[in-house]
Amino acid sequence: MNKIILVGNLTRDPEISVVGNEGVSVCRFGIAVNNQFGSEKSQANFFTIVTWRGLAENCAKYLVKGNKVAVSGRVEIRELDKDGVRRVFVDVQADEVEFLTPRSQQAEGYEPRNISTSNNNRQRVDSMQQNDDDNLPF
C-alpha cells in the first residue's frame, strides 16, 4: 500500500501549467511538515505536492505561501539522469487537498488568483464550486 497523509504549510505559491495534447492542468507546490520529538527542538521535512485537473486549478487559485493544508495521496519517486548526474525526486501525488487556513486568517486584501485554463476545465471547476457551496453548513 502506498498512502501518505501530511499536514503542513505551503513554502511557496503554487505553480500551475498545462501538459499534454489534451491540456491537462498540473499544479506543484511545496509544504513543510514539522516533526516534534518530545521537548526537543522541532525539525521540518519538505515535500513537493503534485495535483491534477480540477484539484490543480483550485489549488492554484486559492492557495498561497503560508497556508496550512492537509494532503493525502501517494509517494512517487522519479529519477533523472542529466549530463551523467543522477538525481532522485520524491513527489506526493495528491488525491485530496484540504484547505485548513480559515478565510478570516488569509492575508488582508486576499483575492483568488485568475488562472488561465480551457473553457471546459473552467466550467467543471465553476460547477464544482457551486455544488460545494450548496453543501456548506453555514
Side-chain angles (χ1 to χ4, degrees):
M1 178 186 301
N2 183 356
K3 183 79 168 176
I4 187 168
I5 299 172
L6 302 167
V7 175
N9 295 77
L10 269 71
T11 59
R12 62 183 186 269
D13 287 338
E15 299 170 4
I16 191 163
S17 59
V18 177
V19 296
N21 295 336
E22 298 164 7
V24 176
S25 300
V26 60
C27 180
R28 294 178 183 273
F29 56 92
I31 66 170
V33 177
N34 289 327
N35 290 327
Q36 184 93 25
F37 299 105
S39 61
E40 294 180 23
K41 189 175 181 179
S42 67
Q43 295 178 325
N45 289 321
F46 299 90
F47 298 90
T48 299
I49 310 299
V50 181
T51 59
W52 297 89
R53 296 178 178 77
L55 181 57
E57 294 167 8
N58 282 335
C59 288
K61 186 173 182 179
Y62 294 108
L63 292 177
V64 293
K65 179 179 177 179
N67 283 158
K68 183 177 281 293
V69 293
V71 175
S72 95
R74 60 185 167 77
V75 175
E76 182 177 272
I77 299 173
R78 298 180 293 124
E79 294 182 25
L80 177 66
D81 197 4
K82 185 174 180 179
D83 299 329
V85 177
R86 183 174 161 251
R87 296 188 63 185
V88 177
F89 298 93
V90 178
D91 296 333
V92 174
Q93 298 289 327
D95 298 322
E96 298 177 61
V97 177
E98 186 172 339
F99 303 170
L100 299 178
T101 300
R103 285 188 182 180
S104 62
Q105 292 180 6
Q106 295 280 353
E108 188 174 321
Y110 167 77
E111 290 291 326
R113 286 189 285 269
N114 289 327
I115 56 173
S116 60
T117 60
S118 70
N119 285 337
N120 188 22
N121 287 341
R122 187 174 296 121
Q123 289 170 351
R124 188 174 67 240
V125 170
D126 290 343
S127 69
M128 286 174 26
Q129 290 169 345
Q130 289 171 352
N131 290 339
D132 289 344
D133 289 345
D134 293 339
N135 293 329
L136 293 175
F138 49 91

